[in-house]
Amino acid sequence: MKKFLLALTFSALSSLLFVSFASASGFALPDQSASAMGMASAFTGQADDASAVWYNPAGIIQLDGTRISGGVIGIFPTLTHENTTGTTDVSERMIHLPIHLYATHKMSDKLSFGLGVNNPFGLSTDWSDTSNTRYVATFSKVVTTEINPNIAYKMNDNLSVAVGVAYVKLRATLEKIFNLGGPGLDSNFRLSGDGDGWGANAAIHYKATDKLNMGFSYRSRIKTNVEGTANLPGVGSETAKTSITLPDLTQFGASYKASDKLTLNADLGYTWWSTYDRIVVESSAGTFNTTDEKQWKDTWTLRIGGQYKLSDQWKLRAGYLYDKNPVPEDRFETRIPDSDRQGLTVGTAYTSGNITVDLAYMYLYFNHRTITNSLADDDANPFTPPDTLNGNYKSQAHLAGVTVGYKF
């Protein structure tokens, strides 16, 4: 019986590794500076501050001297599940604070170096231990930290290119309630682990005309090998390992200078979420080996933004985004109650001497989603009440960001 319960638990938890509510489709965090976020992160063509290391590192060739910047994006989500039984669950309210740090240095007229440190995937959800979703998910937290050095080279007056390498460190903690076979036999299951992986990136920045800049950025998928420990009080613990492949990210962007004061930007992004097709868990003794199908879909995102220069000190920004979600209904799960979303952003920048302070705000609205038959319901636990995940889901998020930059 003990081995049977552990096997069932590992099977359920393996399907939930590394998924969490986030500010973009799936579990990506695309907003990696307040300057870009003020324009809905439509920044691939513009790429004219130190955060270009993330959005389009070929753009850092435009930056003179040495630049450093750093900041944080505060994310405050609200998730609601209206169950078919007539009850409503609201996730615990949490503030998430992914950070970003960038540095660039002009080595010569043709060569620039850039370094980025940020949190490109992650966040968390926290459902009550008494919620309808407790047998599928309660607490989830995933943090990734990426270190990304880049070299940019100016091919000619109009074209620059860049290449880089990326090292990602991933940490995860996941919990759920597991019923051991009847009333009063609930126990809290906890799975924690960490791993790392390597990837690469490439980018192009092209000055098509005096007014129009074009950009392209590609970040490769990154396979992370993860080792962890699962614990179910009263039953036992066992070590296990798995791997997850973070998706390829592609951005195409255009930036048009409509006047000396007004810049208009548009980006189209594509994310290869199909890399998240299944999770295979191997336990130390081979007892709990499992394979769980995810079958996420590739998605695209449209971003439109603009910047208006009020004076040498002040800039105003605004933007809009539409982001498709990758999660099919039959694979829906409450660790990431995802749906298509729309976002509105505003921002500003103030420059005094060599210091620039960027501020931004985003309201993110998730389209309402109704679930009628998710396989995660059936896979969670043989004693889980039926239709646990069915019902209506409503979500929204408020994001506020600040980035401080200095030019040497």
Side-chain angles (χ1 to χ4, degrees):
M1 182 64 176
K2 177 180 177 180
K3 289 186 177 181
F4 171 70
L5 290 171
L6 278 175
L8 288 172
T9 306
F10 257 97
S11 178
L13 267 292
S14 70
S15 69
L16 303 172
L17 277 169
F18 314 118
V19 288
S20 59
F21 181 80
S23 64
S25 65
F27 47 96
L29 301 174
D31 302 297
Q32 294 293 333
S33 80
S35 59
M37 193 177 89
M39 298 179 284
S41 289
F43 196 62
T44 308
Q46 185 173 330
D48 60 354
D49 66 28
S51 66
V53 172
W54 170 257
Y55 292 95
N56 182 355
I60 67 175
I61 206 73
Q62 306 174 90
L63 307 178
D64 294 328
T66 300
R67 312 279 184 105
I68 59 172
S69 70
V72 63
I73 306 293
I75 305 174
F76 184 71
T78 302
L79 297 76
T80 301
H81 174 206
E82 298 176 351
N83 194 269
T84 54
T85 62
T87 60
T88 298
D89 294 321
V90 179
S91 68
E92 297 294 327
R93 297 188 175 185
M94 304 173 67
I95 297 178
H96 315 284
L97 299 171
I99 59 95
H100 52 270
L101 300 168
Y102 305 107
T104 67
H105 177 66
K106 187 93 166 181
M107 303 171 69
S108 69
D109 288 341
K110 289 185 173 292
L111 198 64
S112 291
F113 173 78
L115 176 66
V117 179
N118 59 359
N119 306 131
F121 297 91
L123 289 186
S124 65
T125 54
D126 190 2
W127 299 93
S128 167
D129 289 352
T130 60
S131 67
N132 285 292
T133 188
R134 63 190 182 276
Y135 295 113
V136 178
T138 52
F139 178 73
S140 315
K141 184 175 182 179
V142 178
V143 177
T144 61
T145 301
E146 178 172 307
I147 302 173
N148 178 217
N150 287 267
I151 291 290
Y153 181 74
K154 185 176 181 180
M155 306 288 290
N156 55 47
D157 290 341
N158 298 324
L159 178 65
S160 61
V161 298
V163 294
V165 296
Y167 171 75
V168 170
K169 181 71 174 180
L170 183 149
R171 291 179 287 114
T173 301
L174 305 170
E175 297 178 4
K176 62 176 281 187
I177 299 300
F178 193 86
N179 187 275
L180 301 179
L185 296 178
D186 283 355
S187 185
N188 186 63
F189 186 93
R190 178 184 175 93
L191 176 66
S192 60
D194 60 77
D196 57 11
W198 290 86
N201 63 285
I204 298 171
H205 192 264
Y206 180 66
K207 185 177 180 181
T209 69
D210 289 340
K211 293 186 175 182
L212 179 63
N213 290 333
M214 309 291 290
F216 168 78
S217 176
Y218 170 75
R219 293 185 171 274
S220 74
R221 62 191 62 188
I222 299 177
K223 183 179 180 181
T224 57
N225 295 311
V226 181
E227 294 186 359
T229 301
N231 178 262
L232 182 61
V235 177
S237 321
E238 187 169 341
T239 61
K241 63 180 180 179
T242 188
S243 65
I244 185 170
T245 301
L246 302 174
D248 310 71
L249 305 173
T250 300
Q251 291 286 136
F252 299 89
S255 179
Y256 181 72
K257 293 184 178 180
S259 69
D260 291 340
K261 294 181 177 293
L262 180 63
T263 301
L264 301 174
N265 297 338
D267 277 22
L268 186 63
Y270 194 79
T271 304
W272 273 264
W273 282 118
S274 56
T275 60
Y276 192 57
D277 56 352
R278 61 182 56 87
I279 298 294
V280 179
V281 172
E282 297 178 354
S283 62
S284 54
T287 306
F288 311 117
N289 294 355
T290 61
T291 299
D292 186 82
E293 298 295 329
K294 306 303 296 181
Q295 302 306 322
W296 281 19
K297 303 174 293 183
D298 298 337
T299 60
W300 58 267
T301 306
L302 175 66
R303 304 177 184 277
I304 300 172
Q307 173 179 280
Y308 186 79
K309 185 177 180 180
L310 286 175
S311 65
D312 289 339
Q313 288 76 39
W314 287 97
K315 296 175 182 176
L316 298 179
R317 301 176 177 127
Y320 167 83
L321 66 89
Y322 185 84
D323 196 2
K324 296 286 289 182
N325 95 89
V327 184
E329 180 170 332
D330 61 353
R331 300 294 173 182
F332 184 90
E333 51 199 322
T334 46
R335 291 193 192 273
I336 181 164
D338 209 6
S339 67
D340 297 349
R341 67 205 69 188
Q342 302 178 68
L344 294 174
T345 70
V346 293
T348 188
Y350 176 74
T351 300
S352 178
N354 293 335
I355 299 176
T356 298
V357 178
D358 295 289
L359 301 172
Y361 167 79
M362 176 189 292
Y363 174 70
L364 201 59
Y365 172 79
F366 292 70
N367 296 347
H368 295 177
R369 187 166 186 180
T370 299
I371 300 300
T372 59
N373 184 27
S374 173
L375 295 179
D377 240 356
D378 302 327
D379 296 342
N381 188 314
F383 308 111
T384 299
D387 303 326
T388 296
L389 295 179
N390 287 352
N392 299 315
Y393 289 85
K394 301 176 182 178
S395 304
Q396 63 177 358
H398 300 274
L399 291 79
V402 57
T403 303
V404 179
Y406 188 84
K407 176 183 177 182
F408 291 91

